[in-house]
C-alpha cells in the first residue's frame, strides 16, 4: 500500500516525495508545504459517489460511525486498524430560506453546513481524525498544537477519548474564547499560555516539536487536511451528490479552504464529479492577509511559481508597523496563514474569490443564523456575511445554490452572543467598541420584569407574543 500513498512537496519545481510514515512539518528540500498523494490507479476507488449511500448504521449506533472514515476510500492513507475516531462528522446541511433572504438570495438557494455538531464543537474534529490517525501510524506518544482554541479543544478531546497519546496545547494569552479553553482544561491537556498572540504560539510550537520530537497537529500537517476534505463530501451528499455553485468558508490559517480545494481536485481527477463549484474565502477585516495579497497585490498560484518575495514583503510590513491581527472572530484572528500557498492553488482551481467582512457584519449575520435555530461562533458567521456581500456585488447570483460553512458551535464563545443581544448600547461600546461594534440591529434583548404576574403579562403583551 505504501507506494501508492506518499507525501509530496506542493512546489512543482521541487516535487520531492516522501514516505507516508515520515513526520515532516514541511518539505526538507525546499521548505514548502506537503500534500498527501495517492496513486489512484493502484487503490480501490468508488465508481460513483452514491456508492457511499449503501453504508448502514452498525450495531452500537452513531458513535461507531465516523463521518470522516466512511469516506476512507477517498483518503486511503491509513490501514483500517490504525484509524482513530471519536464519532466526528455527524453534521448536517440545512436549507435556510431566512438566511437566504438576509443574504439577498432566493429561498431554497442558501444552505448551511453545520460543523458545530462535531464532538468537540467545530470542524477541526474532521482534520484531527486524520492527523491523529497518522500520529498513531508513526507511533507518536505526545501531540501538540498552537491554537486560537478549536484545534486545541479537538486535540484534547482526541487524546482523552483515544487514550493513545498525551496532548500539549499552546495558546496565545488572553485571546482564547472561554468555551474552547474550558474544553482543553476539562479534557486534561497540558495547556501552555504563551505571552504573545497566535502567530507567536505557532512559531514556538514548531520549535518545540522539532526539538522534542513531538507530533505537530496544526494544519501545516497534511493529514489534517485529508480529514477536512470530508466536509465537502458531506456537503455533496446533502445535495444528493449534486455539485452546488458556491462554497463559502471563513479563512484563518486557510487549512479548511485548502482541504476543500484538494477534495474537488481529486473528485475531478477520479471522474466522480463533472463540474467544480466556485469558492469564496472570507477573512475578517482585522486579519486580512489573504485578501490583501490576492486582491491588493494580485498574488496568484501561477502554476506553483508563486511570488514568495511579495509574501515576505507583506509580512515584513506587518512587523515594521507592529500590526497584529485584531478581530472578535478569534478563530480567524491570524495574520500569517500557514496554508497560504495551498489556498492560492485552491482559488486557482475553484475560480475562487476572497473578501473581508467586519466584526459588525459577522455578528449581525450570526444573529440571522441563530434565528434558524443553529448557533455558530462569530468566525463562522463570516461565511454568511461574506455571501451577503458577494450577492450585493453581483458576484454570487440570487439563484445560484450555495453552501455556507458554519465552522464552530455557538457555545464556544457565549460572551460574544450574550453581549450582542443583551448589553445596553453604552456598555456594548465600552466592551466591543475596539472591534467596531456599534449597533445591534438584529438583537434579541432580554426583558426585565418584576416578580409580579401583571408586570409579566404586560411585558408579554408589549412583545406581541401571546
Ligand atoms: C479554525 C477555524 C476557522 C479557520 O479555519 P482555517 O482552516 O484556519 O482557515 C474558522 N472558524 C472556526 C470556528 C475555526 O475553529
Ligand atoms: Zn520541496
Amino acid at each position: 500500500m505504501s507506494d501508492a500513498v506518499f507525501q509530496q512537496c506542493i512546489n512543482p519545481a521541487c516535487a520531492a516525495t516522501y514516505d507516508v510514515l515520515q513526520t515532516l512539518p514541511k518539505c526538507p528540500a525546499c521548505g514548502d508545504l506537503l500534500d498527501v498523494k495517492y496513486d489512484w490507479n493502484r487503490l480501490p476507488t468508488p465508481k460513483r459517489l452514491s456508492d457511499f449511500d449503501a453504508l448502514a448504521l452498525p450495531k452500537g449506533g452513531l458513535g461507531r460511525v465516523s463521518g470522516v472514515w466512511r469516506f476512507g476510500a477517498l483518503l486511503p492513507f491509513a490501514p483500517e486498524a490504525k484509524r482513530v475516531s471519536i464519532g466526528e462528522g455527524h453534521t448536517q446541511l440545512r436549507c435556510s430560506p431566512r438566511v437566504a433572504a438576509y443574504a439577498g438570495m432566493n429561498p431554497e438557494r442558501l444552505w448551511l453546513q453545520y460543523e458545530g455538531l462535531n464532538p468537540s464543537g467545530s470542524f477541526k474534529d474532521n482534520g484531527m481524525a486524520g492527523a491523529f490517525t497518522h500520529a498513531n501510524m508513526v507511533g507518536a506518544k505526545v501531540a501538540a498544537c498552537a491554537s486560537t482554541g478549536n484545534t486545541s479543544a479537538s486535540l484534547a478531546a482526541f487524546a482523552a477519548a483515544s487514550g493513545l497519546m498525551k496532548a500539549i496545547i499552546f495558546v496565545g494569552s488572553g485571546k482564547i474564547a472561554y468555551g474552547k479553553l474550558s474544553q482543553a482544561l476539562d479534557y486534561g491537556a497540558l495547556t501552555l499560555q504563551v505571552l504573545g498572540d497566535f502567530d507567536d504560539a505557532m512559531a514556538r510550537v514548531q520549535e518545540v516539536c522539532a526539538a522534542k520530537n513531538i507530533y505537530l497537529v496544526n494544519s501545516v500537517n497534511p493529514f489534517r487536511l485529508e480529514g477536512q476534505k470530508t466536509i465537502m463530501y458531506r456537503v455533496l451528499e446533502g445535495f444528493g451528490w449534486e455539485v452546488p455553485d458556491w462554497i463559502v468558508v471563513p479563512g484563518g490559517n486557510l487549512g479548511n479552504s485548502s482541504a476543500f480545494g484538494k477534495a474537488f481536485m481529486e473528485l475531478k481527477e477520479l471522474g466522480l464529479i463533472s463540474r467544480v463549484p466556485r469558492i469564496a474565502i472570507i477573512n475578517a477585516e482585522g486579519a486580512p492577509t489573504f485578501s490583501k495579497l490576492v486582491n491588493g497585490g494580485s498574488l496568484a498560484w501561477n502554476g506553483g511559481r508563486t511570488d514568495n518575495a511579495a509574501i515576505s514583503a507583506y509580512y515584513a510590513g506587518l512587523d515594521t508597523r507592529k500590526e497584529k491581527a485584531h478581530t472578535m472572530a478569534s478563530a480567524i484572528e491570524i495574520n500569517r496563514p500557514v496554508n497560504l500557498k495551498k489556498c492560492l492553488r485552491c482559488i486557482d482551481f475553484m475560480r475562487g474569490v476572497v473578501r473581508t467582512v467586519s466584526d459588525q457584519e459577522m455578528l449581525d449575520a450570526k444573529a440571522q443564523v441563530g434565528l434558524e435555530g443553529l448557533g455558530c461562533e462569530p468566525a463562522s458567521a463570516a461565511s454568511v456575511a461574506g455571501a451577503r456581500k458577494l450577492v450585493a456585488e453581483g458576484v454570487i447570483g440570487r439563484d445560484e445554490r450555495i453552501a455556507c460553512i458554519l465552522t464552530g458551535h455557538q457555545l464556544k464563545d457565549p460572551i460574544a452572543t450574550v453581549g450582542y443581544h443583551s448589553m445596553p448600547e453604552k456598555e456594548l461600546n465600552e466592551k466591543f467598541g475596539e472591534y467596531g461594534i456599534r449597533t445591534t440591529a438584529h438583537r434579541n434583548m432580554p426583558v426585565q420584569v418584576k416578580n409580579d404576574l401583571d408586570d409579566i403579562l404586560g411585558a408579554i403583551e408589549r412583545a406581541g407574543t401571546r
Side-chain angles (χ1 to χ4, degrees):
M1 160 171 177
S2 67
D3 304 338
V5 183
F6 51 99
Q7 302 183 69
Q8 184 166 37
C9 177
I10 66 163
N11 172 6
C14 170
T17 59
Y18 304 95
D19 192 272
V20 69
L21 288 176
Q22 280 187 273
T23 303
L24 303 164
K26 53 191 175 188
C27 174
C30 79
D32 238 317
L33 295 164
L34 297 173
D35 269 332
V36 182
K37 298 285 272 185
Y38 307 100
D39 180 354
W40 297 110
N41 294 324
R42 297 167 56 195
L43 293 160
T45 53
K47 294 284 162 290
R48 59 197 74 75
L49 283 171
S50 55
D51 288 355
F52 291 108
D53 287 341
L55 198 114
L57 207 58
K59 285 202 192 96
L62 272 182
R64 300 279 298 274
V65 185
S66 165
V68 168
W69 297 117
R70 77 194 164 89
F71 296 104
L74 295 172
L75 49 150
F77 67 83
E80 253 182 82
K82 293 286 181 187
R83 290 176 180 174
V84 183
S85 167
I86 62 169
E88 60 286 331
H90 298 300
T91 56
Q92 58 171 269
L93 182 71
R94 191 184 298 185
C95 184
S96 286
R98 185 197 304 266
V99 178
Y102 177 71
M105 299 187 65
N106 292 331
E108 325 262 308
R109 297 280 86 189
L110 185 149
W111 299 63
L112 299 170
Q113 172 66 17
Y114 188 42
E115 289 293 319
L117 284 175
N118 275 290
S120 85
S122 84
F123 78 81
K124 299 293 199 302
D125 290 344
N126 297 288
M128 205 54 70
F132 222 81
T133 291
H134 186 251
N136 191 30
M137 285 165 71
V138 302
K141 290 285 164 266
V142 187
C145 69
S147 179
T148 62
N150 281 333
T151 302
S152 57
S154 184
L155 169 59
F158 268 84
S162 73
L164 287 167
M165 54 201 96
K166 294 218 175 315
I168 308 179
I169 66 171
F170 289 61
V171 296
S173 52
K175 289 304 300 200
I176 180 167
Y178 248 52
K180 307 176 187 182
L181 181 59
S182 66
Q183 289 179 289
L185 298 176
D186 221 15
Y187 304 157
L190 171 60
T191 305
L192 302 174
Q193 290 183 301
V194 181
L195 293 172
D197 64 6
F198 171 80
D199 295 316
D200 297 323
M202 185 70 227
R204 295 297 82 72
V205 76
Q206 286 180 298
E207 291 164 5
V208 170
C209 285
K212 291 298 236 177
N213 200 18
I214 291 172
Y215 191 90
L216 181 66
V217 298
N218 273 100
S219 60
V220 284
N221 181 316
F223 298 93
R224 272 269 305 276
L225 273 53
E226 290 306 292
Q228 286 165 211
K229 291 190 308 193
T230 64
I231 300 169
M232 289 301 102
Y233 308 150
R234 297 196 300 270
V235 165
L236 293 178
E237 184 177 45
F239 284 129
W241 305 114
E242 279 176 26
V243 178
D245 299 300
W246 287 90
I247 304 292
V248 190
V249 60
N253 250 332
L254 304 176
N256 220 16
S257 35
S258 299
F260 297 175
K262 187 170 188 280
F264 285 111
M265 281 179 227
E266 291 170 349
L267 290 178
K268 191 84 203 317
E269 187 190 336
L270 286 166
L272 292 169
I273 52 171
S274 52
R275 191 169 69 81
V276 175
R278 297 188 70 185
I279 192 167
I281 297 165
I282 315 300
N283 279 159
E285 256 171 30
T289 294
F290 196 54
S291 169
K292 282 246 166 94
L293 285 170
V294 170
N295 297 321
S298 12
L299 187 71
W301 173 240
N302 193 22
R305 293 176 302 282
T306 30
D307 186 351
N308 292 335
I311 302 171
S312 307
Y314 182 84
Y315 289 158
L318 290 180
D319 286 341
T320 330
R321 297 190 301 277
K322 294 204 166 36
E323 212 169 294
K324 297 279 183 191
H326 189 60
T327 164
M328 268 181 88
S330 54
I332 53 174
E333 190 178 42
I334 295 169
N335 256 347
R336 291 166 195 264
V338 297
N339 286 296
L340 183 93
K341 285 205 201 169
K342 280 189 180 173
C343 202
L344 290 171
R345 184 177 67 179
C346 163
I347 59 173
D348 183 67
F349 181 72
M350 296 182 72
R351 294 188 301 133
V353 297
V354 189
R355 290 294 182 274
T356 61
V357 292
S358 67
D359 287 8
Q360 178 79 60
E361 290 170 307
M362 276 187 253
L363 289 193
D364 288 342
K366 178 173 139 17
Q368 295 297 319
V369 171
L371 289 173
E372 205 60 67
L374 289 178
C376 70
E377 61 173 283
S380 310
S383 59
V384 170
R388 185 170 192 251
K389 187 167 263 187
L390 287 162
V391 172
E393 285 178 20
V395 175
I396 295 180
R398 296 174 58 85
D399 241 344
E400 292 195 279
R401 187 154 65 163
I402 79 172
C404 294
I405 313 302
L406 298 181
T407 44
H409 200 284
Q410 172 207 46
L411 296 177
K412 294 282 190 173
D413 191 358
I415 292 174
T417 308
V418 175
Y420 180 88
H421 285 297
S422 68
M423 277 182 194
E425 211 96 315
K426 183 164 169 296
E427 205 183 319
L428 185 86
N429 285 340
E430 271 162 27
K431 188 149 172 97
F432 297 133
E434 60 171 307
Y435 298 109
I437 307 299
R438 301 272 172 259
T439 64
T440 49
H442 306 276
R443 81 165 154 206
N444 181 21
M445 189 94 159
V447 182
Q448 300 284 339
V449 289
K450 290 199 195 99
N451 185 13
D452 172 85
L453 181 61
D454 286 342
D455 200 47
I456 293 171
L457 290 175
I460 292 172
E461 192 134 339
R462 279 191 299 282
T465 41
R466 264 187 301 170

